[in-house]
Amino acid sequence: MEDKIIIDQFIQNPSEGNMMALIERAIQDTLSNKNIAYLAKKLGESGEVVQLKCKDSFVADIPSTGGPSSLSTLICPLVLMELNCQIPKLGVKGRPAGGIDVLYQIPDYKIHFDSKQITNILESSGYCHFIVSKKYAPLDARLFDYRSKVGAKAIPSLVIASILSKKIAAGLNYTGLDVRVAEYGNFGHSFEVAERNANRFIAVAKDVGINAKCFLNDFSIEQQSYIGRGESLLALLMIFENNMNYLLKRHLNNCIGMALNVPPREAIKDKQITTENLYRNFGKNLEDQGSSIEKFNKKAKDIQKQHYNIIKSSGNGFLKIDMKMLRDTIVKYQNEFHTDSLFPDPCGVILLRNSNDYIVKNESILTYRAEGEFKKEFENELRACFSINCTPKQTASYKILSYA
């Protein structure tokens, strides 16, 4: 049976049988770029599509392929605001800390809007961060939930279609993609595989009318030190106060670099990106979405006060951090924590030392935050994420890809 027929059967009747047939075909890697583009459009247009009043504006965003320790989905929109872009950001739950679930920790920050409200917010500040729902790309949400259920999330052709469907629903004409290369990555375990999938993403994006660039980052090591939903807010506060350690400063520069590479060159002419401007843009977004900079500051400082638990090194040598295990540990307790919150936030970590640092026995390597009776168990599982080696780990590099 032809791939397009299988896609059409799923679109017309998204039953589990038809979803599995599509997944099986995607696993065989027979879907052409043309058919992936066709699927992305059908998914993106299965609900409402954001309609912007200014048709000539640069409508842009930078999603990611998922992974811990990055703030790109929080910082890049603030940079794009400074470039006079429109950023209708359709977000999904992160593991452990996606942009939408981090911002939701700020009291009164709203993430559910109808199309008119989104348009009004975009007219006000240029940036609206809202969550996937039955209104926007509902067929993509249904397929994604089923893929999660059957363990079929890391299938590149379906990842590409899913990401682009949300950009179609949001009305984008420019997008970046933060490709997080790691053993748990949805775009490949190695730079070679991730680069191949990134080039395919760029080609499919062109077929649906979106100009795309991909940024390949090594996520086998941490990008910055603040890991967790609340901790990401604290990291933003450190940026806005210019109180950054080396790793956070480097990560901020990386995020700025990604954002500057997405819109056309004329959008960035004579633009100065400062932490003061990012802080101002962040405040605008908070107000437009029902919260305030004061509530953000208080929340971030409350998180900081909870970081009094310390884990120290067990020996001398080069520090190795298992980022997959660290992510899985935090996600485990997020999922087990019983609360009415849409995005529970019972724990988080701040790294005091980095991967490949030489450390000595009893040196402090992190602080952690933990709520409830699982604190001791959480600490024990955290300890297992860190080891001491005789030699430093070899790391990969950073790469930018765009349509030739």
Side-chain angles (χ1 to χ4, degrees):
M1 188 180 296
E2 292 185 6
D3 292 337
K4 186 174 180 296
I5 294 175
I6 291 176
I7 294 172
D8 283 332
Q9 287 179 339
F10 156 68
I11 298 298
Q12 294 162 12
N13 177 22
S15 65
E16 290 193 357
N18 285 339
M19 286 190 283
M20 181 53 73
L22 176 59
I23 289 170
E24 289 174 348
R25 192 56 65 99
I27 290 173
Q28 295 169 13
D29 200 24
T30 64
L31 296 181
S32 66
N33 288 356
K34 182 178 180 181
N35 281 330
I36 297 172
Y38 178 73
L39 175 60
K41 290 190 72 172
K42 290 296 185 179
L43 294 175
E45 294 170 354
S46 62
E48 295 182 24
V49 175
V50 175
Q51 301 292 334
L52 299 176
K53 292 184 178 179
C54 183
K55 301 295 184 182
D56 297 327
S57 60
F58 302 130
V59 188
D61 187 24
I62 303 179
S64 81
T65 58
S69 83
S70 177
L71 305 171
S72 65
T73 53
L74 294 164
I75 296 172
C76 290
L78 307 180
V79 181
L80 292 172
M81 288 174 71
E82 202 61 22
L83 305 180
N84 297 319
C85 292
Q86 299 275 296
I87 311 103
K89 190 169 186 64
L90 182 54
V92 296
K93 181 179 180 179
R95 301 172 70 243
I100 195 80
D101 34 303
V102 169
L103 293 172
Y104 193 72
Q105 305 304 316
I106 305 171
D108 301 323
Y109 191 89
K110 296 179 177 59
I111 59 175
H112 297 279
F113 301 104
D114 60 32
S115 55
K116 183 177 180 180
Q117 290 170 319
I118 292 170
T119 300
N120 290 339
I121 291 173
L122 290 172
E123 286 184 344
S124 172
S125 66
Y127 170 34
C128 181
H129 206 144
F130 56 108
I131 194 166
V132 165
S133 68
K134 293 180 179 178
K135 293 180 181 178
Y136 306 101
L139 210 50
D140 172 64
R142 183 163 184 172
L143 179 59
F144 182 83
D145 287 344
Y146 184 72
R147 286 166 52 209
S148 300
K149 176 182 173 182
V150 300
K153 287 172 65 174
I155 303 173
S157 58
L158 297 184
V159 174
I160 291 170
S162 181
I163 293 173
L164 287 175
S165 74
K166 288 182 272 291
K167 304 309 128 190
I168 293 167
L172 264 67
N173 49 29
Y174 291 89
T175 190
L177 182 63
D178 180 6
V179 179
R180 300 173 180 179
V181 185
E183 61 174 302
Y184 51 82
N186 290 331
F187 251 45
H189 299 175
S190 68
F191 265 68
E192 180 183 2
V193 175
E195 182 173 341
R196 185 164 62 245
N197 290 325
N199 280 319
R200 194 174 199 188
F201 176 88
I202 293 166
V204 174
K206 185 174 186 292
D207 285 344
V208 298
I210 297 175
N211 295 282
K213 287 188 177 181
C214 291
F215 310 94
L216 277 62
N217 291 286
D218 180 8
F219 266 68
S220 66
I221 59 173
E222 69 280 7
Q223 299 297 299
Q224 54 86 34
S225 309
Y226 298 79
I227 304 174
R229 287 171 176 155
E231 285 66 26
S232 296
L233 292 177
L234 179 55
L236 288 178
L237 182 62
M238 295 297 101
I239 290 171
F240 298 145
E241 292 183 346
N242 272 310
N243 186 21
M244 292 172 274
N245 60 24
Y246 165 76
L247 207 60
L248 186 57
K249 177 67 174 177
R250 187 183 70 178
H251 183 57
L252 171 63
N253 289 337
N254 187 28
C255 292
I256 292 172
M258 286 191 284
L260 290 176
N261 270 281
V262 169
R265 301 302 298 176
E266 59 263 31
I268 66 173
K269 185 179 179 180
D270 299 326
K271 296 293 183 180
Q272 290 186 345
I273 309 300
T274 66
T275 54
E276 291 81 3
N277 291 345
L278 300 184
Y279 184 60
R280 179 199 64 215
N281 293 343
F282 188 59
K284 287 180 182 178
N285 175 254
L286 293 181
E287 291 179 8
D288 281 343
Q289 301 202 204
S291 190
S292 68
I293 205 70
E294 292 77 18
K295 291 176 181 177
F296 157 73
N297 287 334
K298 183 179 185 305
K299 179 65 178 180
K301 290 174 182 177
D302 286 346
I303 294 293
Q304 188 174 37
K305 291 175 183 176
Q306 296 175 52
H307 271 269
Y308 48 79
N309 304 291
I310 300 173
I311 291 181
K312 297 184 177 182
S313 168
S314 59
N316 308 317
F318 293 95
L319 182 64
K320 178 184 177 182
I321 306 174
D322 188 325
M323 293 305 295
K324 180 181 185 300
M325 187 182 294
L326 181 56
R327 180 198 68 167
D328 291 346
T329 298
I330 294 174
V331 170
K332 172 185 173 181
Y333 288 99
Q334 287 175 342
N335 292 338
E336 291 181 356
F337 192 69
H338 298 293
T339 175
D340 292 334
S341 174
L342 184 61
F343 302 112
D345 185 34
C347 57
V349 167
I350 299 176
L351 301 175
L352 303 178
R353 300 305 303 267
N354 306 324
S355 295
N356 291 335
D357 280 355
Y358 183 83
I359 57 177
V360 297
K361 187 174 182 178
N362 292 325
E363 185 174 354
S364 298
I365 57 176
L366 67 85
T367 63
Y368 72 89
R369 169 179 61 93
E371 293 184 27
E373 57 189 22
F374 68 80
K375 177 180 174 181
K376 189 61 180 177
E377 183 182 354
F378 179 65
E379 178 179 324
N380 290 337
E381 294 192 29
L382 274 183
R383 289 184 183 277
C385 301
F386 300 83
S387 59
I388 308 297
N389 291 346
C390 296
T391 57
K393 176 184 177 181
Q394 296 296 313
T395 59
S397 57
Y398 170 78
K399 199 165 190 177
I400 300 177
L401 301 175
S402 59
Y403 192 82

